[in-house]
Amino acid sequence: MTSNPSKNTFQHSLSKVALSVAALGFSLTVHAEEAPVPDYSLAYHVGVISDYRVRGIAQTSGDPAVQGGIDLTTKSGLYLGTAASNVKWVKAFNGATKGSYELDLYGGYRAQITDTNFSYDVGVITYQYPGNNSGVGGRLPAGTFGNASTVEVYGDLIYKIYTLKYNRSVGNFLGNLNSSGSQYFDLSAAVDLTHGFTLTPHIGHQFIPNQTFPNPSGNSGDYTDLSLTLAKDFGNGLVGTVAATTTNAKRIFYKDTDSKYLGNDAFVVGLSYGF
């Protein structure tokens, strides 16, 4: 599943420019007029990534992905968006015979709490895998999984460079049976290194209830992931990223139908263009 909308921090900024001119004993101050905030804005992005990871778990079995999306943001703070990517895990992990791409649809509301340093973001996102037949049959017996498409509600608190995020599934999570109410906690920081560089450390923890194989206690799907991402803004909408990611996901649970471990350490590079 693609990255969700909390990565686009909502901020309003007001600026006032004053110019003082002294000549022939006179002092003149000029105040620039503020540009009006548009009622809405549209943003587009396309990109490629060497290894599509979500919460540290491989979505394309370590292969590259092509991605793109559109975001609509209103002056009031309401927003809608969509993003798409190719994936392999629906077939490789859930054993389906159909389901080769992901389509995310999301919407929510962003606003300031006290000032420009403290804001929040709440919304709902659905990860759709059109045509997927996860759980119907294929490389695994029918009934092993459910339909892969998933709905989550989320909430973010953003303070300066720090973001704390919470996601909770409505219904089963990514086809895992009896997994309604799965939760993900995410803490990250965006450290400005100047010259267009941003360093983002991240820690997250995934809870998936009632996953009893092979652990009878039901926590086989729970794990923590860590990542460190360096981004470079080249200007004109072009951004490059390099990231290192690791997890302690249980190998016996997070392996595909060819016994490939999907939570392995990875070094990921990406390039995106926004306009």
Side-chain angles (χ1 to χ4, degrees):
M1 50 191 177
T2 58
S3 315
N4 72 45
S6 69
K7 61 187 176 185
N8 300 317
T9 303
F10 176 70
Q11 288 188 320
H12 285 302
S13 60
L14 299 176
S15 62
K16 184 178 290 183
V17 179
L19 173 65
S20 297
V21 179
L24 299 176
F26 293 94
S27 178
L28 173 66
T29 301
V30 179
H31 295 276
E33 238 179 79
E34 294 173 2
V37 179
D39 290 335
Y40 69 90
S41 61
L42 278 172
Y44 307 85
H45 66 89
V46 294
V48 293
I49 194 163
S50 63
D51 182 358
Y52 178 26
R53 296 268 166 161
V54 174
R55 302 174 187 177
I57 302 300
Q59 307 294 295
T60 48
S61 296
D63 292 336
V66 178
Q67 303 175 332
I70 305 172
D71 289 285
L72 169 68
T73 302
T74 69
K75 182 168 63 175
S76 68
L78 293 171
Y79 63 88
L80 295 170
T82 183
S85 177
N86 57 294
V87 295
K88 288 186 176 180
W89 72 266
V90 179
K91 295 179 180 180
F93 184 77
N94 287 19
T97 59
K98 298 178 181 179
S100 296
Y101 71 97
E102 173 186 338
L103 179 66
D104 298 344
L105 304 169
Y106 49 84
Y109 178 73
R110 304 183 182 105
Q112 303 301 134
I113 295 176
T114 55
D115 54 32
T116 56
N117 287 328
F118 200 11
S119 61
Y120 69 90
D121 181 348
V122 293
V124 60
I125 182 168
T126 177
Y127 313 103
Q128 294 292 313
Y129 305 92
N132 88 88
N133 61 349
S134 173
V136 174
R139 298 183 69 179
L140 296 175
T144 305
F145 288 93
N147 189 281
S149 296
T150 298
V151 176
E152 286 186 326
V153 294
Y154 61 83
D156 297 15
L157 285 175
I158 304 104
Y159 179 69
K160 294 185 178 179
I161 66 171
Y162 305 100
T163 299
L164 177 63
K165 183 168 184 175
Y166 173 71
N167 288 57
R168 185 181 182 92
S169 72
V170 179
N172 283 339
F173 180 70
L174 303 179
N176 293 291
L177 299 178
N178 304 312
S179 61
S180 181
S182 292
Q183 303 174 77
Y184 187 70
F185 294 86
D186 180 341
L187 178 62
S188 64
V191 182
D192 184 2
L193 302 180
T194 71
H195 303 292
F197 287 97
T198 303
L199 186 67
T200 304
H202 151 88
I203 182 171
H205 191 81
Q206 179 74 63
F207 294 96
I208 308 178
N210 305 316
Q211 303 310 296
T212 58
F213 176 80
N215 189 344
S217 67
N219 66 350
S220 297
D222 299 356
Y223 69 93
T224 297
D225 70 288
L226 299 168
S227 67
L228 186 65
T229 302
L230 179 66
K232 167 62 176 175
D233 186 345
F234 294 100
N236 299 315
L238 189 64
V239 177
T241 57
V242 293
T245 181
T246 187
T247 80
N248 66 352
K250 297 174 180 62
R251 183 179 296 270
I252 196 167
F253 185 87
Y254 286 96
K255 64 179 181 179
D256 65 17
T257 51
D258 292 323
S259 296
K260 183 175 182 178
Y261 179 44
L262 301 178
N264 60 309
D265 298 347
F267 183 76
V268 180
V269 297
L271 187 66
S272 67
Y273 175 63
F275 56 98

